[in-house]
Amino acid sequence: MNAEDPTAAFRVEARELLDQVEQALLDLSYRLDDAALIDSVFRGLHTLKGSGAMFGFDSLAAFTHHIEGAFDRVRKGRARATAELVATVLAARDHMRALVEGDAISADGEAILARLAAAVDAPAVEPAAPVRPVAPDTAATGGWQLSFRLPRQALAHGTNALALLDELRALGDCTLVAHRGAIPPLDQLAERDCHVGWAATLRGDVPRAAIDDVFLFVLDDMELSVTPLPPVGTAAGARGAAAAPDRAAPETRAPRRVARAVQGELVRVPAARLDTLMDRVGELVIAQSRLSQLAGDRHDLVLRSVAEEIERLAAELRDTMMVLRMVPVASLFGRFRRLVHDLARETGKAIALETAGESTEIDKTVSERLFDPLVHILRNACDHGLEEAGERIAVGKPATGIVRLAAYQAGGAAVITVSDDGRGIVRERVRAKAEASGLVAPGQALADAELLALIFHPGFSTAAAVTNLSGRGVGMDVVKREIERLRGTIELVSTEGAGTTITLRIPLTLAIIDGLLVRVGTGRYVIPLAAVEECLELTAEEDRRSLGRSLITLRDRLVPFLRLRELFATAAPPDPHQKIVVVATGRERVGLVVDQIIGSHQTVVKALSPFHQGIGTFSGATILGDGGVALILDVAQLVARGQQAESALGQAA
């Protein structure tokens, strides 16, 4: 984004405003009489309308004006907030987003405005009392006498003074007089400074809050005094009253100052620049690794000292860069509130979304790539996991179904769970579908985890009827594949009648990982350290004894292992003291037989070429300190291969 492009800056601000409006609307859907939420929606719409007109988005300003007007009626108690009104304004919010991006269709807007008129014209509660209590001094039947001066930098910051005056005149019978005494001589005039003040007489039954709304975004920095006028025909006893600046209550002004102070400490940086900086840090880590290796090969204490200092600084820079790329999962979870709201309306179910651990932070790239898998999981939970209200009540459950999103950090990974309190997965259906599809033989013994794992098979579904929303299991293979591309794991636990929980375990970052460097033959490979459980020695005798079975006993449990020499077709003779690196994904473990464990390694992940991406055994590559290349093993793929080998051995036995 070009920092000097005002249109691009407006689009960024407009997206944030629309997101805030959406969250307020979703909150309002649960508390339809919440005056603070109604005001929040109105302020967001009011700001968007004014900013849109200022930056030339006339269609957006015109459309938003209708939505703002509808909410103003609700705000003043002339209409009531309903679920249908909230749903309509959410649809309007989507249309406004399209107008911001420049790809809207006018017919959509006309249909939404028709729905809006019907929703607002619904019978109101009689008498039409205001939504919020009005203090005695917030309205004046005679009007107001105003004296105000905008902040000097208002024009430079994008404020349209003429638009503010037009809004003020629209409130009632308004007379404006400009005060030009503070305008400096021409040779001292700064063209972007605002030097004019105004006096205004505003007659009519105008709430005091309406005046504040006009100046909402300059209120704390401008000069403003407001004095009530007496009703027409009465003595003007208030004419001599002192014009006290009555802008907002102190408790209201204080949060604004705090919010602005916090905003002042933030700098908006395009994501592409962070990605570029991360690439540079990765290259620095590689160069530092090479320097450390060179220093280790020489007996130069000064060189070693410098290499150690650069290693320390590079590590600190890497950690700082990682923090810069981290975002709280709240930004991800917040996007699903609208999804669940729409699914509840479409399915006719009462659904509540609960979230926990929203302060847990993950890499921004991980957050972006998690969105689609989580959307699919949530659709399954809402459409096929949760029962209808009548069915829930019949089995002693509350009518409202619960979908819960939770996150927490465990070591170098983020754990995200999606759970529901629905009907759970019926094992008989899974088995019947698997047998009908030829995935398992009739009557074949399967552990519960193996049975549930069938849901991740391509095209598998237990839904009695596939809807346009989802089919429990349809596409779960795609979800699993995407999670594994993130070097993560997915687990499913379900209790019939009580619900289902899906657990995703994802690395906190994808750019730089801690790895275990190993050697197989003459090749070197990196195993992500987060997946490593322990390392064992495989003696020549144990190696011979395990030929044909490839199983070891580890604390009274059989664990399959893969000989990477065979997998990679290594021609060099094996090391006499081979090692087994035990890795795990979720509950499944497998051993990887290597010739040598070289040690830990800070691994800068490089993407594989399109030609090599389909191999499956490797998830990336890295450059070593000596300039050589080491492939990063895809642990999820290797564990799956080990489990398949174990199943084949069990069937042969």
Side-chain angles (χ1 to χ4, degrees):
M1 180 187 74
N2 186 352
E4 297 181 357
D5 183 1
T7 300
F10 165 74
R11 285 195 169 101
V12 172
E13 298 295 340
R15 293 184 196 113
E16 293 180 355
L17 271 173
L18 288 169
D19 287 343
Q20 293 167 11
V21 167
E22 181 179 72
Q23 296 303 314
L25 285 167
L26 292 171
D27 288 334
L28 184 62
S29 67
Y30 295 102
R31 304 191 298 275
L32 292 172
D33 59 347
D34 193 317
L37 290 173
I38 293 171
D39 283 348
S40 177
V41 174
F42 175 80
R43 284 195 300 271
L45 295 170
H46 181 78
T47 305
L48 187 64
K49 180 190 76 171
S51 300
M54 186 183 307
F55 286 95
F57 288 75
D58 296 333
S59 297
L60 172 66
F63 180 80
T64 308
H65 175 72
H66 293 288
I67 314 300
E68 177 200 23
F71 247 84
D72 192 36
R73 291 185 60 187
V74 175
R75 186 165 163 264
K76 294 175 179 176
R78 298 172 185 168
R80 59 191 177 94
T82 62
E84 179 59 30
L85 176 64
V86 171
T88 303
V89 179
L90 282 171
R93 177 263 177 204
D94 294 342
H95 184 69
M96 287 185 275
R97 176 66 182 258
L99 287 169
V100 169
E101 305 299 341
D103 56 359
I105 302 174
S106 60
D108 293 343
E110 293 171 3
I112 290 170
L113 292 179
R115 285 177 55 194
L116 181 70
V120 172
D121 291 339
V125 178
E126 296 295 334
V131 174
R132 59 182 178 183
V134 180
D137 61 343
T138 59
T141 56
W144 305 91
Q145 184 68 46
L146 290 78
S147 175
F148 59 93
R149 185 179 297 276
L150 298 178
R152 174 163 296 207
Q153 298 298 317
L155 302 181
H157 292 164
T159 301
N160 187 331
L162 295 179
L164 294 182
L165 299 181
D166 287 341
E167 287 189 42
L168 191 62
R169 279 197 290 259
L171 295 178
D173 182 8
C174 183
T175 302
L176 282 164
V177 177
H179 294 311
R180 295 171 290 182
I183 298 178
L186 186 60
D187 58 346
Q188 301 175 18
L189 182 66
E191 61 181 14
R192 302 188 71 183
D193 285 357
C194 181
H195 301 284
V196 180
W198 289 270
T201 302
L202 178 61
R203 295 197 175 275
D205 188 7
V206 181
R208 174 68 175 83
I211 299 174
D212 287 342
D213 286 341
V214 171
F215 302 108
L216 184 63
F217 298 99
V218 292
L219 198 57
D220 292 339
D221 300 317
M222 69 181 294
E223 299 175 16
L224 173 64
S225 64
V226 182
T227 305
L229 293 173
V232 177
T234 65
R239 258 182 295 185
D246 180 23
R247 308 182 197 176
E251 61 271 18
T252 303
R253 293 199 303 271
R256 286 183 186 144
R257 283 196 296 269
V258 171
R260 190 162 53 246
V262 171
Q263 282 187 334
E265 297 172 1
L266 301 178
V267 177
R268 190 188 304 277
V269 178
R273 294 185 184 178
L274 284 181
D275 292 338
T276 301
L277 183 57
M278 190 71 223
D279 290 341
R280 299 295 181 269
V281 172
E283 297 298 328
L284 177 62
V285 170
I286 293 172
Q288 171 268 314
S289 178
R290 297 184 65 183
L291 176 61
S292 296
Q293 183 166 338
L294 289 172
D297 294 339
R298 289 168 170 76
H299 301 289
D300 188 333
L301 296 180
V302 175
L303 179 60
R304 288 189 179 184
S305 175
V306 172
E308 290 173 359
E309 180 68 11
I310 292 178
E311 182 178 4
R312 181 185 65 81
L313 293 173
E316 292 178 357
L317 179 60
R318 179 204 66 210
D319 293 341
T320 301
M321 188 61 224
M322 300 293 244
V323 171
L324 287 177
R325 289 172 56 92
M326 303 294 271
V327 294
V329 295
S331 60
L332 177 65
F333 286 3
R335 299 167 70 181
F336 299 124
R337 298 185 64 205
R338 173 69 182 280
L339 173 69
V340 172
H341 173 273
D342 292 348
L343 288 173
R345 288 181 60 84
E346 190 165 347
T347 61
K349 300 175 182 178
I351 306 175
L353 176 65
E354 296 181 353
T355 57
E358 293 179 298
S359 60
T360 304
E361 293 187 330
I362 57 177
D363 187 277
K364 71 174 186 65
T365 303
V366 175
S367 176
E368 292 165 0
R369 291 176 60 179
L370 276 177
F371 179 74
D372 287 340
L374 286 175
V375 164
H376 188 85
I377 294 171
L378 284 168
R379 283 181 178 274
N380 276 345
C382 294
D383 191 24
H384 294 290
L386 296 178
E387 313 93 331
E388 301 286 346
E391 184 181 346
R392 292 178 62 86
I393 293 173
V395 296
K397 293 182 179 180
T400 300
I402 303 296
V403 176
R404 192 169 192 268
L405 268 171
Y408 61 92
Q409 187 173 333
V415 180
I416 298 177
T417 61
V418 184
S419 56
D420 64 71
D421 64 348
R423 58 175 61 93
I425 297 176
V426 182
R427 270 61 171 180
E428 289 79 6
R429 284 188 186 177
V430 176
R431 174 173 282 280
K433 177 67 175 180
E435 291 179 356
S437 304
L439 297 177
V440 297
Q444 178 182 337
L446 290 175
D448 190 61
E450 293 175 319
L451 187 66
L452 292 178
L454 293 172
I455 286 178
F456 297 107
H457 192 276
F460 194 93
S461 174
T462 62
V466 177
T467 71
N468 63 331
L469 292 178
S470 60
R472 170 74 85 175
V474 172
M476 287 301 288
D477 63 310
V478 179
V479 172
K480 184 173 186 288
R481 192 159 57 246
E482 183 60 28
I483 296 303
E484 289 176 348
R485 285 196 186 117
L486 292 171
R487 298 196 300 276
T489 61
I490 181 169
E491 296 179 41
L492 185 149
V493 177
S494 183
T495 303
E496 291 187 33
T500 301
T501 297
I502 294 178
T503 302
L504 310 179
R505 189 177 296 269
I506 308 293
L508 292 176
T509 182
L510 302 177
I512 300 177
I513 63 172
D514 291 319
L516 185 67
L517 188 63
V518 301
R519 179 179 60 81
V520 179
T522 57
R524 289 171 293 180
Y525 304 90
V526 173
I527 304 173
L529 199 57
V532 176
E533 286 198 345
E534 56 186 300
C535 299
L536 309 170
E537 185 169 344
L538 180 66
T539 65
E541 181 182 351
E542 291 173 330
D543 190 18
R544 286 191 300 271
R545 193 166 55 241
S546 64
L547 285 175
R549 288 187 56 82
S550 297
L551 292 169
I552 59 171
T553 302
L554 192 60
R555 285 182 288 279
D556 299 326
R557 179 184 172 187
L558 286 176
V559 176
F561 63 83
L562 299 173
R563 291 178 170 84
L564 295 185
R565 299 179 53 80
E566 298 177 1
L567 188 62
F568 300 154
T570 302
D575 192 274
H577 303 286
Q578 297 182 86
K579 306 296 188 294
I580 298 180
V581 181
V582 180
V583 296
T585 58
R587 300 177 182 177
E588 307 298 338
R589 294 190 294 176
V590 71
L592 305 177
V593 179
V594 302
D595 286 325
Q596 180 188 4
I597 297 175
I598 300 174
S600 61
H601 183 268
Q602 284 288 332
T603 304
V604 179
V605 181
K606 299 291 186 180
L608 294 174
S609 69
F611 177 76
H612 295 92
Q613 284 178 351
I615 297 177
T617 308
F618 309 108
S619 61
T622 189
I623 301 174
L624 302 177
D626 60 2
V629 174
L631 294 173
I632 302 169
L633 299 182
D634 189 330
V635 172
Q637 293 280 351
L638 293 172
V639 169
R641 184 173 296 193
Q643 295 301 318
Q644 290 170 4
E646 183 183 19
S647 298
L649 286 172
Q651 292 176 6

